[in-house]
Amino acid sequence: LMPSFPPPVRPVLAAYVVFISLMFLLSLFSRSRLLMAGSALYLVSDSLIALATFVFPGHALFAALDLYGAWPLYVAGQTLIT
């Protein structure tokens, strides 16, 4: 994923991946199962968006997963987190 981005964007992308992953890992230490589930759904939704947008652009399966899978997972994750 990193080589496809211009050098000025790479640190921002790396930081985003680190912080999203850290959010999920920290949620595992929470007593709230809703927080754990919400952060897991958020991580999966962001991963689907990244795959469809940057790794497999134009691929029908990943476009469908992005459109019909990522956004419902994102909304569900955000709902559980808040």
Side-chain angles (χ1 to χ4, degrees):
L1 187 61
M2 281 289 200
S4 64
F5 287 93
V9 178
R10 291 178 189 169
V12 175
L13 175 63
Y16 183 76
V17 169
V18 166
F19 285 114
I20 293 295
S21 300
L22 186 60
M23 176 193 70
F24 172 69
L25 290 173
L26 289 174
S27 78
L28 297 178
F29 295 99
S30 169
R31 291 182 181 185
S32 171
R33 298 221 186 264
L34 293 177
L35 181 63
M36 289 181 216
S39 64
L41 291 175
Y42 188 78
L43 180 68
V44 171
S45 75
D46 266 23
S47 298
L48 287 175
I49 293 168
L51 286 170
T53 305
F54 303 116
V55 180
F56 300 106
H59 192 282
L61 174 62
F62 287 96
L65 285 173
D66 181 19
L67 182 62
Y68 299 111
W71 291 110
L73 290 173
Y74 172 81
V75 171
Q78 288 297 321
T79 301
L80 293 174
I81 288 172
T82 52

